[in-house]
Amino acid sequence: MSNLPDEAFRDTIGTIDEGGNRKFIFPKKPSGKFYDYRKIVSYVLLAILVANPFIKINGNQFMMFNVIERRFNIFGFPFWPQDFYLFVISMLVGVVFVILFTVVFGRIFCGWICPQTIFLEMVFRRIEYWIDGDRGSQSRLARQEWNGEKIRKRLLKWTVFFLISFGIANIFLAYLVGSDQLFLMIEQGPVKQASNFIALLIFTGVFYFVFVWFREQVCIIACPYGRLQGVLLDNKSINVAYDFVRGEKENGRGKFNKKEDRALTGKGDCIDCLQCVHVCPMGIDIRNGTQLECTNCTACIDECDHIMESVGLPKGLIRYASEDEIAKKEPFKFTNRMKGYTAVLFILLSVFVGMLFLRTNVEAIILRLPGQLFQHKGDKISNVYTYKIVNKTMKDYSDIHFELIDQKGEIKNVGNKNFKIKREETAQGTLFIEINEAILESDKTTIKIGVYNGKELLETTKTNFLGPRSFN
Ligand code: SF4
Ligand code: SF4
């Protein structure tokens, strides 16, 4: 904000003191309309996050990101390495979606949806308020000597935090290796499932470290999305913003005085009570303007609204607004940049949904054996092929066989004509296709092969059939 002369706050971050040491923040417990809405949204999202790896659709885990075995399930659709292009598109859609949202609605994702914010503000911080008390008690407890009260409260808090971190690590592992593996580990014990158990302990340690000590530093230092804000936001993006025009007026902010008529003295509506600063979990002063640290958590909106109400001024001194809305009184406009992002998002989404529905549960690759042409077998021409069938589902298929589609001829599978493929397994082998020479119209015919389970057509694939050149 250009009319705020002192920009020194941009040289430091609120959580590091002048000596370069970590400054712990003890934010005031938020309360108000937005905090209540955020609680509802957070607990719904938490329930979804916890339930996702335990829900199954057609035997497939609803969400799974098994990077070790390169198996991914998204909304119950299994993605194999062969489907990697779909996975990449879904990631692209996700990234564009977040960018679009950031351009239009600022960091709404950080404040309302990000799991880090939800766990920190709605789980760990709330337990902390319950055990240690509000801002004043927390900072007093941190400063005081180790006595009975401090030992008791710290032990209780760290134990509860460890148990929750352990719970989160279990959920995380269920996303990573699958809930079946997690249950197997619980059943067989840590010795038999040593690698999973070690991973569980490492994740627990990481979550404990993040939520007990590192906290808001994740958003400020570690999160790449946070660092992108400077590029994505512009004067038209909606953010949690302080209305400096109204707050400062001609003669700036000033303490509240019941007897003073601020319209006459030219003072702004900000009574410099600092409550918006005390409630901020990132330790910043929103009155300095849009800052990298601000996660748009809305706590300062609620807090300032309480203050405005108590001094009889209109609410909304801090609110969701764009810079132009505040400085130029311009109403919100859907800019060309926003339209461009929406169009890209829509195209990507359409491509993704189309590909998702065109994708089959069974994938068949049938290729002519390299270096082989064709053989005469009486009045028939024979070509030899190798095949690979991938069963991406959680179903076993017991009667798999091949049939030619739109072409007369015979398929001879080496080994059993009909074979089985278990769930999530592949089958490969060799087959011969024989076609009567008299009905071949070219030396290279494209043929369509159906992969059936009993009478059910699972997949079709195309390949070439070679024959002699002397056709009329
Ligand atoms: S809470 Fe509102 S009135 Fe108080 S300092 Fe912040 S902006 Fe000013
Ligand atoms: S400035 Fe306001 S919205 Fe931003 S992090 Fe602090 S309290 Fe939350």
Side-chain angles (χ1 to χ4, degrees):
M1 283 178 202
S2 48
N3 66 337
L4 293 174
D6 185 6
E7 296 273 319
F9 68 92
R10 297 203 192 274
D11 301 336
T12 55
I13 53 175
T15 50
I16 309 281
D17 69 15
E18 281 157 12
N21 300 314
R22 172 75 184 279
K23 209 164 81 187
F24 274 89
I25 296 170
F26 305 105
K28 189 180 171 195
K29 189 177 177 188
S31 67
K33 184 177 79 179
F34 282 102
Y35 191 59
D36 289 343
Y37 288 151
R38 278 181 62 222
K39 273 195 270 186
I40 297 169
V41 172
S42 297
Y43 296 132
V44 169
L45 290 177
L46 273 178
I48 293 171
L49 185 88
V50 172
N52 269 342
F54 303 101
I55 297 172
K56 291 204 170 173
I57 294 178
N58 294 329
N60 296 317
Q61 189 168 314
F62 190 63
M63 286 282 183
M64 184 174 76
F65 305 94
N66 191 337
V67 276
I68 303 147
E69 291 175 17
R70 292 180 296 155
R71 281 167 50 213
F72 304 91
N73 288 359
I74 298 176
F75 302 128
F77 288 101
F79 289 80
W80 281 58
Q82 290 89 341
D83 299 318
F84 195 69
Y85 64 101
L86 276 177
F87 189 72
V88 171
I89 291 176
S90 72
M91 290 296 115
L92 270 177
V93 171
V95 169
V96 176
F97 194 80
V98 169
I99 290 175
L100 173 71
F101 253 76
T102 310
V103 169
V104 185
F105 297 108
R107 291 179 80 168
I108 197 162
F109 174 85
C110 303
W112 292 77
I113 300 164
C114 174
Q116 158 74 15
T117 310
I118 291 179
F119 275 118
L120 180 58
E121 300 305 327
M122 295 297 169
V123 179
F124 289 90
R125 192 93 74 188
R126 295 198 75 202
I127 293 168
E128 197 160 64
Y129 289 129
W130 170 62
I131 296 172
D132 290 351
D134 208 341
R135 173 183 160 80
S137 316
Q138 282 186 21
S139 95
R140 179 186 52 78
L141 200 68
R143 277 183 277 112
Q144 83 183 32
E145 294 293 313
W146 282 94
N147 58 10
E149 184 205 11
K150 187 161 173 171
I151 292 171
R152 186 172 45 79
K153 285 188 171 171
R154 286 289 184 263
L155 271 180
L156 177 63
K157 186 169 87 173
W158 290 340
T159 309
V160 175
F161 279 12
F162 180 82
L163 291 176
I164 297 174
S165 302
F166 183 71
I168 301 171
N170 273 273
I171 305 293
F172 192 65
L173 201 65
Y175 274 100
L176 218 58
V177 296
S179 50
D180 291 344
Q181 272 294 320
L182 180 72
F183 289 134
L184 197 69
M185 186 183 73
I186 295 167
E187 203 184 298
Q188 294 185 337
V191 179
K192 280 192 178 164
Q193 292 276 332
S195 56
N196 280 340
F197 187 69
I198 291 168
L200 183 68
L201 290 184
I202 293 172
F203 294 148
T204 306
V206 171
F207 288 126
Y208 187 77
F209 167 75
V210 165
F211 293 116
V212 171
W213 194 83
F214 205 49
R215 298 194 158 193
E216 69 291 328
Q217 301 301 302
V218 171
C219 315
I220 299 172
I221 300 168
C223 176
Y225 176 61
R227 317 296 303 179
L228 275 175
Q229 300 310 307
V231 189
L232 299 173
L233 300 179
D234 64 13
N235 285 357
K236 295 187 170 29
S237 306
I238 296 177
N239 273 308
V240 171
Y242 166 67
D243 186 341
F244 57 90
V245 176
R246 185 187 141 195
E248 308 293 318
K249 295 212 175 117
E250 306 89 64
N251 291 324
R253 58 188 80 141
K255 295 285 177 204
F256 180 66
N257 181 349
K258 241 199 276 184
K259 294 178 189 144
E260 181 186 32
D261 184 346
R262 291 173 94 90
L264 290 179
T265 56
K267 283 186 189 161
D269 282 359
C270 173
I271 63 164
D272 209 12
C273 64
L274 292 179
Q275 292 309 304
C276 53
V277 181
H278 294 160
V279 82
C280 177
M282 307 306 287
I284 58 168
D285 186 342
I286 187 71
R287 297 172 301 168
N288 288 329
T290 306
Q291 290 151 80
L292 174 97
E293 295 95 323
C294 176
T295 56
N296 275 225
C297 75
T298 69
C300 54
I301 300 185
D302 280 334
E303 202 56 32
C304 189
D305 279 352
H306 289 316
I307 300 296
M308 290 294 107
E309 244 179 346
S310 66
V311 295
L313 290 167
K315 290 195 223 173
L317 181 57
I318 300 175
R319 62 178 186 274
Y320 274 119
S322 69
E323 173 101 10
D324 281 355
E325 217 177 313
I326 290 171
K328 302 179 190 164
K329 303 278 172 230
E330 264 180 17
F332 173 71
K333 255 200 322 222
F334 202 56
T335 61
N336 285 338
R337 180 149 83 127
M338 294 170 189
K339 283 178 197 162
Y341 279 126
T342 311
V344 172
L345 179 67
F346 185 73
I347 293 165
L348 278 174
L349 257 181
S350 313
V351 170
F352 178 65
V353 171
M355 285 180 156
L356 207 59
F357 283 99
L358 286 175
R359 171 191 165 284
T360 53
N361 284 334
V362 171
E363 188 167 309
I365 304 161
I366 300 180
L367 298 170
R368 284 192 45 261
L369 203 63
Q372 299 285 320
L373 284 174
F374 57 88
Q375 279 182 309
H376 285 278
K377 283 191 179 172
D379 56 353
K380 289 178 183 162
I381 301 291
S382 171
N383 279 202
V384 61
Y385 299 84
T386 57
Y387 66 83
K388 185 176 176 186
I389 314 286
V390 185
N391 179 3
K392 301 174 188 171
T393 68
M394 297 300 282
K395 273 192 278 184
D396 293 342
Y397 290 115
S398 56
D399 189 20
I400 297 283
H401 61 278
F402 303 101
E403 282 178 28
L404 283 173
I405 296 174
D406 306 331
Q407 173 74 51
K408 280 190 180 146
E410 200 181 346
I411 298 182
K412 289 183 175 168
N413 190 16
V414 177
N416 288 337
K417 183 173 182 279
N418 294 25
F419 56 95
K420 293 178 187 171
I421 312 182
K422 287 193 174 164
R423 62 185 211 169
E424 294 188 307
E425 284 195 356
T426 56
Q428 38 199 338
T430 309
L431 59 85
F432 290 90
I433 298 180
E434 293 177 1
I435 298 177
N436 200 315
E437 191 175 348
I439 59 171
L440 286 174
E441 289 173 0
S442 144
D443 58 342
K444 192 175 177 185
T445 312
T446 303
I447 51 172
K448 208 166 150 191
I449 300 165
V451 182
Y452 288 83
N453 180 53
K455 289 186 176 160
E456 183 193 358
L457 177 65
L458 300 174
E459 164 73 320
T460 55
T461 182
K462 283 182 182 166
T463 188
N464 287 324
F465 187 89
L466 298 187
R469 280 185 180 271
S470 55
F471 290 102
N472 5 339

